[in-house]
């Protein structure tokens, strides 16, 4: 393969260029100050990191000019050899005093400062523990290090402590690293709790003050000074490319550590020294910061004013505490539109999209300086409001508007009031207080969420109605549930169900509830509101754990798809957008279990060893195989229930099945079962194992948009005869008969049957990740894992 192939296949940037929305590499025609000239017009700059407004300060420019006159334009080598000049040493000494540390070391760039320090200090056997949203330079430095990298959830002290407690090697060297100010979110690290946790578990702490230096703290030393923990920070890193009006970076820590880095850090030893002009500029900026503390005051006043006004307009922001105010847009394309329209209005901002932020969290990153004039800020506010309104970012239905969660009454006899065949996009909910209208809106929401997703398969409307009908779904005999809709203004933006299976809790001796039927726009605010509402509903009823996503039974779907979005779901399998896992992670839900789906080729040759093993098992005395007989369907289903109750007693969420369950699930399965794809193994005339394959009716259902009327029955029948795939749904062997080869016998017989009936491929699901014997057997016999579903939980 040509190594350039990946470049030839890359088209994301070109796609945006074709739309006329490409926002990168915009050219400044003057110095970047509070304003700049772009495309020949004066543009208000609210997208630079020139926090103290020093890049155009006369003294800073003069210092750079004098340095060039004295030392030339470069140092012609690395600091380690011939590249050190007296300005380097002077800057390091002054930075050490300013940061109240023993010594400092200057690197050529801020990016390579983090790379150089982390890759040198974190060696084999050590552990570096990083906030998930740390800057790319930190993450790259961690990857270059030979030690182990572990990430904790953003500013989540419980997660950080969990990691520290569970480290297997208690004697390993440990370094916790965080941004003092997070560069996209603008919030500050929870250093008041990080420091004591690190001390408790014997870890060192490194704080990247790139966006805190010259912004926070009484004297501008950063977040550590702001929070009163500067003396507790083992290593402080800073850059010159923000408040210090230059380029470069530094580290401040103990003198012995600095000496070690000087002689071992490859990014320091083998990189050309910072040029004289850059060093002189940073020196002068440090001098001005110490001489003119009023710049800090003015910067904070400007930021406070903008944050207040931006929130008043209804824009969503992160809980920023710095000079950075991100405005959350949500969609990548709309973020590009926002940026382009603002530029045309004379305001520069930075669009930030995934992977720099999580999917659904694209934002406009605005930042401010001490030298912004009020009229410049007011001009920017006017344009922000104009563009935000035009794009629907602000207003009663905008993403920043409050989310209301509305309970939906569970129906009784819903099937008598069938939903219409066609599903328009969601209405404006004119009849706000009508329970029946809420029920219909709840049921048809997926048609709006997935309207542009080619892989989604619309569920059968009658099936949906049954699930939420208290008279028809037996779940309500031993459980309780509540559905909710999320609304922003008049728009419905999401749904969720919170439920408790009291029978399952009694069986497993726990107090657990679950959430399911979760559907939401690419809108984390709505997702958070829905999850929080479900959590509160469960908490009020005494539950201690919330799991999900789950439906009322495994036949109705369980788990969130986290891998395999390029394929449609097989029959009775869930499906969801790619951004759901990120929403769950952000909310704090943690993985309980992964479930695998394997792709199988029904026409491929069966390995000879499998055939021999199956033949040997079949020849054993008393072992017989028979297929399901529709004439005794209820009795065969009772046999399946008996086997499932024997083998699944400890499975996640499993509840022993009763005669009522038998009747209910038999009715659900009978329309889709192909009797020649269901096999039983009998030993001395007693059924001890079974397997079930189902034709993948999703191939057909996709054509009917969830409704098969009387006039459609012939079409449905004809399409059904053309189904080419199956789903290996269940395989069960009673505990007393395991490890006798019955699993292999059923596996082989199932695919022999599928091949005879003309099916070409299939899916085998679910397979728990912990079942290594089964996963290994499937993979060694040609099965390809192509989907992963995840079940989450949260202690409440």
């Amino acid at each position: 393969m040509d190594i350039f192939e990946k470049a030839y296949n890359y088209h994301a940037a070109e796609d945006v260029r074709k739309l006329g929305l490409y926002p990168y590499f915009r050219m400044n025609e003057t110095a970047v100050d509070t304003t700049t000239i772009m495309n020949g017009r004066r543009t208000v700059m609210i997208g630079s990191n020139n926090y103290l407004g020093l890049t155009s300060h006369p003294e800073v420019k003069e210092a750079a000019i004098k340095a060039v006159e004295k030392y030339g334009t470069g140092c012609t080598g690395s600091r380690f050899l011939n590249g050190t000049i007296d300005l380097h040493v002077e800057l390091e000494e002054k930075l050490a005093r300013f940061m109240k540390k023993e010594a400092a070391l200057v690197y050529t760039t801020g990016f390579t400062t983090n790379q150089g320090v982390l890759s040198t200090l974190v060696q084999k056997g050590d552990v570096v523990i990083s906030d998930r949203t740390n800057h790319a330079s930190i993450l790259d430095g961690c990857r270059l290090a030979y030690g182990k990298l572990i990430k904790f959830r953003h500013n989540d002290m419980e997660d950080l402590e969990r990691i520290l407690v569970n480290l297997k090697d208690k004697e390993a060297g440990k370094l916790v690293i965080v941004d003092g100010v997070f560069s996209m979110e603008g919030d500050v690290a929870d250093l008041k709790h990080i420091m004591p946790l690190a001390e408790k578990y014997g870890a060192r702490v490194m704080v990247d003050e790139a966006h805190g230096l010259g912004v926070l703290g009484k004297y501008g030393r950063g977040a550590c000074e702001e929070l009163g923990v500067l003396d507790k920070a083992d290593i402080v890193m800073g850059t010159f490319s923000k408040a210090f009006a230059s380029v470069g970076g530094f580290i401040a820590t103990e003198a012995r550590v600095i000496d070690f880095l000087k002689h071992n850090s490859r990014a320091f030893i083998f990189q050309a020294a910072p040029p004289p002009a850059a060093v002189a500029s940073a020196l002068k900026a440090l001098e001005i910061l110490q001489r003119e503390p009023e710049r800090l005051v003015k910067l904070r006043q400007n930021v406070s004013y903008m944050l207040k006004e931006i929130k008043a307009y209804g824009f969503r922001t992160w809980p920023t505490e710095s000079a950075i105010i991100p405005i959350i847009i949500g969609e990548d394309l709309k973020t590009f539109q926002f940026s382009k329209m603002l530029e045309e209005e004379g305001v520069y901002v930075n669009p930030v999209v995934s992977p720099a932020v999580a999917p659904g969290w694209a934002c406009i990153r605005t930042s401010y300086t001490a030298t912004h004039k009020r009229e410049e800020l007011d001009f920017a506010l006017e344009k922000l409001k104009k563009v935000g309104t035009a794009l629907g970012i602000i207003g009663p239905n905008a993403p920043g508007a409050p989310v209301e969660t509305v309970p939906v009454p569970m129906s009784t006899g819903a099937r008598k009031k069938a939903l219409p065949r066609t599903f328009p996009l969601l209405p404006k909910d004119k009849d706000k207080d009508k329970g029946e209208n809420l029920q219909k809106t709840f049921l048809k929401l997926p048609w709006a969420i997935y309207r542009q997703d080619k892989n989604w398969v619309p569920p059968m409307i009658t099936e949906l109605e049954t699930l939420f009908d208290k008279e028809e779904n037996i779940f309500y005999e031993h459980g309780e549930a509540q559905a909710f809709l999320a609304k922003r203004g008049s728009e419905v933006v999401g749904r969720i169900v919170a439920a408790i299976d009291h029978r399952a809790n009694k069986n497993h001796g726990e107090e657990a509830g679950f959430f399911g039927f979760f559907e939401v726009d690419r809108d984390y605010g709505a997702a958070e509101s829905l999850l929080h509402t479900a959590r509160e509903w469960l908490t009020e009823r005494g539950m201690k754990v919330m799991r999900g996503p789950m439906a009322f039974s495994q036949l109705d779907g369980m788990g969130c798809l986290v891998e395999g979005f390029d394929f449609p779901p097989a029959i009775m399998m869930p499906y969801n957008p790619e951004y759901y896992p990120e929403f769950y992670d952000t909310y704090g839900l943690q993985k309980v279990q992964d479930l695998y789906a394997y792709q199988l080729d029904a026409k491929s040759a069966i390995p000879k060893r499998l055939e021999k093993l199956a033949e040997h098992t079949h020849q054993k005395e008393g072992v017989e195989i028979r297929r399901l007989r529709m004439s005794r369907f209820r009795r065969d289903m009772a046999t399946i229930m008996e086997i499932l109750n024997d083998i699944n007693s400890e499975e996640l969420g499993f509840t022993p099945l009763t005669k009522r369950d038998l009747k209910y699930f038999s009715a659900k399965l009978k329309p889709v079962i192909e009797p020649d794809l269901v096999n039983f193994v009998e030993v001395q005339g007693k059924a001890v194992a079974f397997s079930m394959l189902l034709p993948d009716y999703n191939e057909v259902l996709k054509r009917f948009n969830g409704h098969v009327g009387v006039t459609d029955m012939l079409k449905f029948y004809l399409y059904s005869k053309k189904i080419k795939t199956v789903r290996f749904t269940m395989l069960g062997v009673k505990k007393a008969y395991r490890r006798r080869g019955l699993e292999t016998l059923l596996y082989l017989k199932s695919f022999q049957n599928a091949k005879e009936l003309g099916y070409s491929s299939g899916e085998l699901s679910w397979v728990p990740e912990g079942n290594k014997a089964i996963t290994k057997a499937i993979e060694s016999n040609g099965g390809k894992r192509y989907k992963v579903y995840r079940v989450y939980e949260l202690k409440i």
Side-chain angles (χ1 to χ4, degrees):
M1 178 180 173
D2 186 348
I3 198 169
F4 283 6
E5 194 67 27
K6 60 181 73 69
Y8 299 149
N9 291 333
Y10 176 75
H11 55 80
E14 186 57 33
D15 290 346
V16 179
R17 287 191 190 99
K18 288 176 181 177
L19 293 171
L21 299 176
Y22 187 71
Y24 305 120
F25 302 100
R26 288 176 280 182
M27 188 169 62
N28 295 287
E29 298 161 28
T30 61
V32 179
D33 208 329
T34 59
T35 63
T36 184
I37 301 294
M38 300 183 75
N39 298 319
R41 67 174 292 177
R42 179 67 61 181
T43 300
V44 173
M45 171 59 69
I46 56 170
S48 83
N49 298 322
N50 184 25
Y51 298 133
L52 295 177
L54 296 177
T55 55
S56 297
H57 194 288
E59 291 182 41
V60 175
K61 291 194 289 185
E62 183 183 2
I65 291 168
K66 287 184 176 179
V68 171
E69 289 174 345
K70 181 176 180 179
Y71 301 97
T73 57
C75 295
T76 74
S78 72
R79 290 283 310 279
F80 192 68
L81 298 175
N82 66 295
T84 296
I85 59 176
D86 54 357
L87 288 180
H88 292 128
V89 177
E90 181 185 356
L91 179 57
E92 288 168 346
E93 291 174 348
K94 287 185 176 180
L95 284 169
R97 289 196 295 271
F98 178 67
M99 299 305 298
K100 296 188 174 183
K101 299 296 178 186
E102 290 182 0
L105 186 63
V106 170
Y107 283 73
T108 305
T109 71
F111 202 100
T112 52
T113 303
N114 279 330
Q115 283 189 334
V117 172
L118 290 166
S119 61
T120 306
L121 287 181
V122 183
Q123 299 185 353
K124 190 174 182 179
D126 296 331
V127 179
V128 57
I129 306 165
S130 170
D131 189 294
R132 282 187 180 177
T133 59
N134 277 341
H135 189 264
S137 60
I138 294 175
L139 297 179
D140 279 7
C142 292
R143 292 181 183 123
L144 285 172
Y146 287 105
K148 182 179 181 181
L149 166 63
I150 305 176
K151 297 178 185 179
F152 65 94
R153 289 194 299 273
H154 179 52
N155 253 349
D156 187 329
M157 296 301 101
E158 289 185 6
D159 197 36
L160 173 58
E161 184 164 24
R162 177 188 61 81
I163 291 168
L164 290 166
V165 167
N166 293 326
L167 283 176
K168 292 181 180 178
D169 185 357
K170 304 298 182 183
E171 301 303 316
K174 298 176 279 290
L175 178 67
V176 177
I177 181 161
V178 292
D179 279 316
V181 172
F182 293 93
S183 59
M184 296 303 161
E185 296 82 0
D187 57 340
V188 174
D190 189 1
L191 297 171
K192 285 188 174 181
H193 290 96
I194 289 173
M195 300 304 182
L197 276 176
E199 185 176 359
K200 179 179 178 180
Y201 295 102
R204 297 284 188 174
V205 179
M206 177 174 169
V207 182
D208 180 337
E209 290 284 17
H211 294 276
L213 194 65
V215 177
L216 298 178
K218 183 177 180 180
Y219 299 102
R221 295 186 179 101
C224 290
E225 183 183 45
E226 179 80 12
L227 298 174
V229 295
L230 185 58
D231 59 324
K232 302 290 186 183
D234 297 291
I235 306 171
V236 178
M237 177 268 183
T239 60
F240 307 138
S241 54
K242 281 79 177 175
F244 278 26
S246 183
V247 66
F250 72 92
I251 203 81
T253 183
E254 297 176 19
R256 292 291 298 273
V257 177
I258 292 296
D259 194 51
F260 174 75
L261 291 169
K262 278 184 174 180
H263 295 89
N264 292 275
S265 174
R266 295 169 64 85
F268 178 79
I269 295 171
F270 296 102
Q271 187 170 207
V279 181
S281 298
L283 265 168
K284 183 55 68 174
L286 177 59
E287 178 189 324
I288 295 171
L289 169 60
Q290 294 176 294
R291 189 182 73 209
E292 301 177 10
E294 62 271 18
R295 286 181 179 268
L296 291 170
V297 176
K298 187 63 168 66
L299 171 60
R300 292 163 191 170
Q301 288 174 346
N302 284 343
V303 173
S304 178
Y305 174 71
M306 291 300 290
L307 183 59
K308 178 183 176 183
E309 294 301 315
I310 286 171
K311 284 186 173 181
Y313 287 156
F315 286 108
R316 289 190 299 164
T317 68
W318 286 97
T320 181
E321 303 168 69
S322 64
I324 301 163
I325 303 178
I327 297 174
I328 301 168
I329 308 300
E331 300 174 16
D332 290 0
L333 186 59
K334 188 168 283 190
T335 302
F336 292 145
Q337 288 178 298
F338 199 117
S339 171
K340 182 68 173 178
M341 290 172 70
L342 277 177
E343 183 183 341
E344 291 170 353
E345 292 287 338
V347 178
Y348 179 97
V349 294
N350 290 301
V352 181
V353 299
S354 57
V357 290
W361 283 99
C363 67
I364 294 297
R365 182 185 182 275
T366 70
S367 49
Y368 304 91
T369 76
T371 49
H372 267 121
K373 301 180 181 67
R374 180 58 62 88
E375 54 265 30
E376 292 169 338
L377 298 178
D378 286 340
F379 178 83
L381 285 168
E382 175 193 341
K383 301 306 181 182
L384 284 168
K385 182 179 181 181
K386 179 179 179 180
V387 175
T389 303
L391 290 176
I393 304 302
I394 54 177
N397 296 328
V403 175
E404 176 190 13
T405 51
V406 181
V408 178
M410 307 302 280
S411 62
T412 55
R415 295 186 69 181
K416 299 171 185 176
K417 304 173 183 178
L419 293 174
R421 173 170 177 161
T422 58
F423 279 77
L425 298 186
L426 289 178
K428 299 294 184 180
D429 192 22
K430 297 175 182 177
D431 304 317
K432 293 184 178 181
D433 301 321
K434 292 185 178 180
E436 185 180 331
N437 183 68
L438 288 173
Q439 292 166 14
K440 291 179 179 179
T441 302
F442 180 91
L443 291 178
K444 66 185 178 181
L445 181 64
W447 274 260
I449 300 294
Y450 296 98
R451 58 185 177 270
Q452 295 179 332
D453 192 326
K454 60 182 176 58
N455 287 321
W456 179 63
V457 178
M460 288 294 291
I461 294 167
T462 51
E463 184 69 19
L464 282 176
E465 293 170 331
T466 300
L467 285 176
F468 293 98
D469 192 326
K470 288 185 176 181
E471 294 180 2
E472 298 202 35
N473 189 343
I474 62 166
F475 169 82
Y476 301 106
E477 294 182 4
H478 52 81
E480 58 180 310
Q482 178 60 59
F484 297 93
L485 284 171
K487 299 171 67 179
R488 181 174 277 113
S490 61
E491 298 286 348
V492 176
V493 293
R495 74 175 193 183
I496 200 168
V497 169
I500 304 168
D501 188 333
H502 296 294
R503 188 174 68 177
N505 279 343
K506 184 178 180 180
N507 183 62
H508 292 281
E510 61 180 358
E511 296 170 304
F514 63 88
F515 72 91
F517 303 97
F518 175 82
E519 302 290 359
V520 69
D521 285 333
R522 191 185 284 268
D523 178 348
Y524 178 73
E528 183 179 46
S529 293
L530 287 165
L531 291 166
H532 192 66
T533 298
R535 176 180 178 176
E536 284 189 330
W537 188 87
L538 293 171
T539 302
E540 288 169 2
R541 285 154 183 78
M543 298 300 103
K544 301 293 190 288
V545 176
M546 178 171 78
R547 293 198 186 102
M550 296 180 177
F552 299 122
S553 75
Q554 289 193 21
L555 287 180
D556 303 317
M558 180 173 72
C560 170
L561 182 67
V562 296
E563 292 180 24
F565 294 97
D566 294 332
F567 305 91
I571 184 172
M572 295 181 178
M573 294 294 284
Y575 183 75
N576 54 264
E578 292 184 57
Y579 53 87
Y580 281 16
E582 189 68 38
F583 283 179
Y584 292 145
D585 288 341
T586 303
Y587 187 71
L589 288 156
Q590 295 184 334
K591 169 187 161 183
V592 177
Q593 186 180 50
D594 276 355
L595 303 161
Y596 298 155
Y598 287 89
Q599 206 168 35
L600 303 161
D601 184 353
K603 292 186 175 180
S604 61
I606 296 168
K608 293 294 183 184
R609 56 187 178 80
L610 265 189
E611 290 184 337
K612 288 182 180 179
L613 179 59
E615 184 180 351
H616 174 73
T617 303
H618 201 185
Q619 289 175 351
K620 287 182 181 178
E621 185 177 350
V623 174
E624 295 291 340
I625 298 178
R626 69 169 178 85
R627 298 180 184 181
L628 181 143
R629 296 191 286 270
M630 295 303 290
S631 60
R632 50 172 291 170
F633 180 75
R634 286 291 297 275
R635 276 185 290 172
D636 279 350
M637 290 301 295
T639 299
I640 289 174
M641 183 184 77
E642 178 192 348
I643 296 171
L644 289 175
N645 282 342
D646 179 80
I647 65 178
N648 284 331
S649 58
E650 298 178 1
E651 283 295 312
L652 183 68
F654 181 79
T655 307
L657 300 170
T658 65
K659 290 183 179 179
R660 285 282 291 123
D661 295 316
L662 171 63
K663 181 179 179 181
Y664 180 76
F665 291 118
S666 294
K668 286 177 72 75
L669 286 170
K670 192 171 184 177
V672 296
I673 273 184
E674 166 60 65
D676 288 336
L677 293 176
V678 181
N679 289 300
F680 293 91
V681 171
E682 294 181 342
V683 176
Q684 297 179 350
K686 182 180 180 181
V688 298
F690 82 99
S691 64
M692 180 185 293
L693 276 67
L694 295 176
D696 190 1
Y697 278 95
N698 276 4
E699 287 185 33
V700 180
L701 291 175
K702 195 170 180 66
R703 298 171 178 267
F704 290 90
N705 199 32
H707 181 95
V708 181
V710 176
T711 58
D712 298 316
M713 296 303 294
L714 179 59
K715 285 183 182 178
F716 189 90
Y717 173 78
L718 293 174
Y719 285 135
S720 298
K721 294 301 179 182
K722 297 179 181 179
I723 293 175
K724 294 298 181 184
T725 59
V726 292
R727 178 186 165 214
F728 201 130
T729 310
M730 288 183 271
L731 187 151
V733 179
K734 283 189 174 183
K735 293 176 183 176
Y737 292 87
R738 291 177 180 172
R739 301 181 185 278
R740 298 189 185 186
L742 298 184
E743 295 92 339
T744 303
L745 180 60
L746 282 168
Y747 181 90
L748 180 67
K749 189 63 179 175
S750 295
F751 281 96
Q752 283 178 338
N753 293 352
K755 188 180 294 187
E756 289 171 6
L757 293 170
Y759 294 101
S760 59
S761 62
E763 174 179 297
L764 194 159
S765 55
W766 324 80
V767 181
E769 63 176 332
N771 197 333
K772 303 297 184 186
I774 294 296
T775 56
K776 185 177 180 180
I778 294 170
E779 290 168 6
S780 64
N781 290 298
K784 296 180 180 179
R785 192 176 87 194
Y786 80 122
K787 291 181 184 177
V788 179
Y789 298 86
R790 181 162 297 164
V791 178
Y792 296 83
E793 77 172 19
L794 181 71
K795 300 292 190 298
I796 57 177

